[in-house]
Amino acid sequence: MLKNINIGLAALVLGFGLTITTSAFKNAPKNRADVQWNFLGTSTGQANDQTKYSMSAPSPTECGSDDQLPCYILTPESVDTQAELHDYFVSTYGDSAPAIDAAAAARRAAQ
Amino acid sequence: MKPAILNLRRNLITLGYALLILLWSYTGLSKIIDHTDFQNQLERIFPSPSAIAIAIGIPILEIAAAVSLAFKSFRTPGLYLSLLLMAIFTIYVYIVVAGYLSKAPCSCGGIISALSWKAHLVINILFLFLVIYLLFTRKKGKEVAVTP
């Protein structure tokens, strides 16, 4: 009976079925307007250093690999440059590295 | 050639097609389901008219590739479409990994979206090689018929 199944058709149905039944999107921010800033630093003390964040470059280690460092933070959509990120850190967290570290949406292992 | 080797090749080719069909159907439909979000992400990089065209065109092409590959008679155009799509996506991911884009959307879908960009690049290159291999075997007429 298995030989009579069109493997291609089965894969098509499976692909569509998986898409429909699972959450099909990446770790999208809860709020669609949020911007994800990936942390590239090597210590929690750098959490308030806007130059250690990137919207495009991935974090050095996988999110969820450990809880040593922040993996990424989420900011409002209007925060899309590093200068604005610095202002955001100051206005929201008082530029406190521990506070920003604690607010990270996900964490990762150190390199 | 020994039957065992022929069977192995047949199974690998079948698996290759199945993986491609799964990939395109999954990513294509996921972009259609969340079309608005996909378009919003594209508009961060491309001008609005281009973003709209891409947001409509890409998922259609992905679904078309998946459907084409599912039926033996249409596999050749499906493979060429897969080659085009995968080449475009691979170049795009490379540009992101190389740091040429300050903002990069990735409405990749499901498991794939959980990968880092570098891992994404590796996966894309592997799929690219898969498509090229399947095209090569099909052209050489070495593809063994898959039981319908």
Side-chain angles (χ1 to χ4, degrees), chain B residues 35-50:
Chain B
H35 178 264
T36 304
D37 189 41
F38 179 45
Q39 185 174 319
N40 286 339
Q41 292 183 52
L42 287 173
E43 284 175 346
R44 293 170 60 190
I45 295 181
F46 302 103
S48 191
S50 303

Side-chain angles (χ1 to χ4, degrees), chain A residues 3-9 11-12 14-16 18-20 22-26 32 55-56 58 62 80, chain B residues 14 18 21-22 25-26 29-30 34 44 63 66 70-71 101-103 106-107 109-110 113 116-117 147-148:
Chain A
K3 290 185 178 179
N4 293 328
I5 297 174
N6 183 322
I7 301 297
L9 213 50
L12 198 60
L14 183 63
F16 288 152
L18 276 173
T19 310
I20 292 168
T22 63
S23 173
F25 283 98
K26 65 170 291 185
R32 285 187 176 177
M55 284 191 292
S56 59
E62 297 290 337
D80 59 2
Chain B
T14 302
I21 293 167
L22 208 58
S25 58
Y26 189 59
L29 189 58
S30 70
D34 206 0
R44 293 170 60 190
I63 299 294
F71 299 97
L101 282 182
S102 59
K103 304 176 186 182
C106 179
S107 181
S113 63
S116 65
W117 283 105
T147 305

Side-chain angles (χ1 to χ4, degrees), chain B residues 81-140:
Chain B
L81 188 52
S82 296
L83 182 65
L84 174 67
L85 286 169
M86 195 52 68
I88 291 171
F89 292 146
T90 303
I91 291 170
Y92 165 71
V93 174
Y94 173 75
I95 290 173
V96 172
V97 170
Y100 293 121
L101 282 182
S102 59
K103 304 176 186 182
C106 179
S107 181
C108 307
I111 295 172
I112 300 176
S113 63
L115 299 173
S116 65
W117 283 105
K118 286 182 181 175
H120 205 330
L121 181 62
V122 171
I123 296 291
N124 273 32
I125 290 173
L126 289 175
F127 269 107
L128 200 55
F129 281 134
L130 172 63
V131 173
I132 293 170
Y133 172 72
L134 291 174
L135 258 173
F136 176 78
T137 56
R138 191 160 179 85
K139 277 187 165 293
K140 288 287 185 180

Side-chain angles (χ1 to χ4, degrees), chain A residues 53-85:
Chain A
Y53 290 86
S54 170
M55 284 191 292
S56 59
S59 302
T61 55
E62 297 290 337
C63 290
S65 52
D66 208 330
D67 64 353
Q68 296 169 310
L69 297 174
C71 193
Y72 64 87
I73 61 167
L74 299 174
T75 68
E77 190 176 26
S78 59
V79 181
D80 59 2
T81 66
Q82 287 185 333
E84 288 168 346
L85 183 62

